[in-house]
Amino acid sequence: MADRIYERPAIVRNTFGAMNKVGRRGDLSNHAEIDGVSIDALCKEFGSPLFVFSERRLRARVREAREAFARRYPSTTMCWSYKTNYLDAICAVMHQEGSIAEVVSGMEYDKARRLGMPGDKIVFNGPAKTETELRRAVAERAIIHADHLEEIYLLEKIAAETGATPTVGVRVSLDAGIYPRWDRFGLGLENGQAMQAVKRIARGGKLALGGLHTHIGTFVLEPAAYGRAAAKLADFATEIEKSMGVRPTHVDLGGGFASTNTLATQYHAGAIAPGIGDYAEAITSALIAGASGTGTLPRLFIETGRALIDEAGTLLTSVVATKRLSTGKRAIVIDAGVNLLFTAWWYRLNIAPARSAEAFVEDTAVYGPLCMNIDCIRESVPLPDLRPGERLAIHPVGAYTVTQSMQFINLRPAVVMINEQGTPELIRRAEVLEDLTGPEVLPERLKLGATTSGATPALKIAREG
Amino acid sequence: MPTPDLPYDPAELRTLALSDTGFIFDPRTGHSYSANATGLATLAAMKDGLDPAAIATKLRAEFKGGAAVEDDVAGFVDLLRELGLVRARSAP
């Protein structure tokens, strides 16, 4: 009596000279459900591929971050980085948990206002704010961080025309001792440009000085770098106060905290990324030490995104086909491509089958459905024998996937969030063709069957033929 | 004894050492391999000179759930060729 489950016969050559130096192959376990909801049932109800967010995990992570900072530094405001994921439902959860909005464009500003965030609860960053956007932000008393002097001049012009005295902060680029150094956002601290901007605001007579902001990098695995950045901002605030008699209203850090994802170039698996408490300890210790001479602790804005939401997001996908490449390597084609997973180009995303399998796994290339050679989710990931229709879970994909996904070759899939009671709720429907073609305008003369003189000879021939 | 009607030559596989755990050693090259349970069963049947149809029947009897077993066996033979364990041989 057959009691063993059939798998396609497979054999792999053992390569002893090239063993994994960290001594493990990563997590080979299956991923059958999310918050108690079967992956297969989710795909049957909402389609495949499918983005799934766990509200439970999201809220738990936000609360962990909030408490990690508040415990050490009560005067902390959490700011949700919209660009990380600006789905309404996600932002609403963040706002319910007490985060204000951090936006970097007029579009994101509009989204925050549409959700009911008042202007004075919106941090407005970004390197290219338009005059129209700034006029609205000034009128609504948004928390503006100027990226360059031209923006300050523009704000002065708006102030002069409206009679308002906008409070304007400065984005500061500084050396936090990490490579690469990010210096494209804001004005340099070490070369004096940031001080020049502060003087212009504080002494120009048209603006009031707001906060100091810095964004030192992305996926920064070294909490000490934030400590150095916070210390520099604290010193800068003290220097400003001593020289101009005005103190910045707040300091703003936090962009770039790492999640448990794994960078493509990262040696160790991502689970060893610093905890949120490590970042909190580094930043708050530096601020407290920096304020010891003045006795004034600045309000702290923490505007993190990825570290809060990455683990809450999973992309469910289905196997379309399996094949052997010319090298003999196993490959699969799945129904989700890099148009949905922009992050696959710099992360080694975990890919796990929904069902449990025998221990035998084989390094497998995972390709998406796009007719493009670049559509590769993982060049090599250990997977068991898979059949068309089988489900896979790609994780973590909560950050920068939905917002960076695009309608390229395929439309975008639905997004659901499993609420805290374990019920999946649709938070973005699957796209239909009208979502793609709606903004398009086809001139009458180009429509097939048009009888205008503008029709091309080829079309005329086709119709007549 | 020659078996010209098979798409592989069982004699090429006779020196392979197969363990029950799926560990396979090729003393001619020093290479070792790992196979899953069906791969091991297929390899053992090929060593015994069974033809692909008989191997598919054997797999169906020993395992449950196979849908396109004949195609899978053919794919496995191709894989053995990629690995150099059997040489290309025209099917009759």
Side-chain angles (χ1 to χ4, degrees), chain A residues 414-431:
Chain A
V415 185
V416 302
M417 183 158 67
I418 300 175
N419 66 23
E420 292 185 287
Q421 289 70 46
T423 305
E425 296 175 309
L426 187 69
I427 60 172
R428 193 175 197 274
R429 65 163 170 76
E431 290 179 341

Side-chain angles (χ1 to χ4, degrees), chain A residues 14-353:
Chain A
N14 299 323
T15 50
F16 293 110
M19 288 187 74
N20 182 344
K21 284 182 276 187
V22 294
R24 60 175 183 163
R25 301 192 71 183
D27 185 6
L28 300 178
S29 59
N30 65 314
H31 195 137
E33 58 181 38
I34 299 172
D35 289 355
V37 184
S38 142
I39 279 172
D40 195 50
L42 285 165
C43 288
K44 281 177 178 156
E45 182 173 356
F46 298 102
S48 172
L50 178 70
F51 278 108
V52 181
F53 285 87
S54 162
E55 185 176 345
R56 202 178 293 164
R57 283 189 221 172
L58 182 57
R59 286 187 187 274
R61 184 70 169 156
V62 177
R63 289 168 191 168
E64 178 194 354
R66 191 179 63 209
E67 286 160 17
F69 278 93
R71 199 164 51 237
R72 296 171 170 88
Y73 200 92
S75 185
T76 299
T77 300
M78 301 300 289
C79 315
W80 171 237
S81 162
Y82 263 47
K83 66 178 180 292
T84 312
N85 188 321
Y86 44 59
L87 286 168
D88 282 352
I90 298 293
C91 294
V93 167
M94 294 302 194
H95 297 325
Q96 278 188 357
E97 292 293 336
S99 292
I100 65 173
E102 188 265 332
V103 305
V104 294
S105 71
M107 181 195 80
E108 289 188 353
Y109 190 98
D110 288 344
K111 285 211 80 176
R113 291 290 290 122
R114 180 172 155 273
L115 281 174
M117 290 304 285
D120 64 358
K121 295 284 188 292
I122 300 175
V123 176
F124 196 8
N125 284 319
K129 310 174 191 80
T130 67
E131 181 171 344
T132 304
E133 291 162 359
L134 284 173
R135 281 185 184 280
R136 184 180 184 192
V138 166
E140 296 179 348
R141 304 175 66 80
I143 303 158
I144 300 168
H145 293 149
D147 187 75
H148 40 71
L149 287 174
E150 280 76 8
E151 189 177 332
I152 293 172
Y153 303 152
L154 191 52
L155 285 160
E156 288 178 341
K157 176 185 161 207
I158 293 168
E161 289 174 7
T162 62
T165 307
T167 299
V168 178
V170 175
R171 305 187 80 192
V172 179
S173 149
L174 53 78
D175 183 359
I178 54 169
Y179 182 85
R181 176 185 168 173
W182 275 23
D183 59 4
R184 66 155 291 187
F185 297 125
L187 296 150
L189 178 67
E190 291 84 3
N191 64 11
Q193 290 183 345
M195 180 57 94
Q196 185 188 354
V198 168
K199 283 179 180 168
R200 176 85 190 200
I201 292 170
R203 292 178 174 165
K206 297 188 177 71
L207 308 174
L209 182 62
L212 301 176
H213 166 274
T214 191
H215 192 174
I216 62 171
T218 186
F219 213 88
V220 178
L221 289 162
E222 179 50 73
Y226 287 95
R228 291 189 284 272
K232 286 195 170 190
L233 287 187
D235 289 347
F236 188 36
T238 302
E239 186 185 349
I240 291 166
E241 187 171 22
K242 283 181 180 168
S243 61
M244 280 172 269
V246 57
R247 188 160 185 90
T249 55
H250 60 269
V251 295
D252 182 332
L253 303 98
F257 289 175
S259 67
T260 58
N261 227 318
T262 304
L263 291 172
T265 55
Q266 198 173 322
Y267 187 67
H268 292 288
I272 61 159
I276 205 86
D278 298 322
Y279 293 112
E281 183 66 27
I283 290 172
T284 59
S285 298
L287 289 180
I288 292 166
S292 60
T294 65
T296 309
L297 287 172
R299 171 153 283 279
L300 172 61
F301 283 11
I302 291 295
E303 51 171 65
T304 192
R306 175 191 295 101
L308 301 186
I309 197 169
D310 218 9
E311 285 79 26
T314 306
L315 178 64
L316 307 186
T317 178
S318 303
V319 176
V320 175
T322 66
K323 59 173 74 172
R324 290 274 170 192
L325 304 180
S326 60
T327 58
K329 183 171 186 173
R330 187 164 69 185
I332 59 172
V333 182
I334 59 174
D335 62 5
V338 291
N339 58 317
L340 305 180
L341 290 173
F342 206 70
T343 56
W345 284 327
W346 58 84
Y347 289 140
R348 292 202 303 272
L349 300 167
N350 297 317
I351 303 177

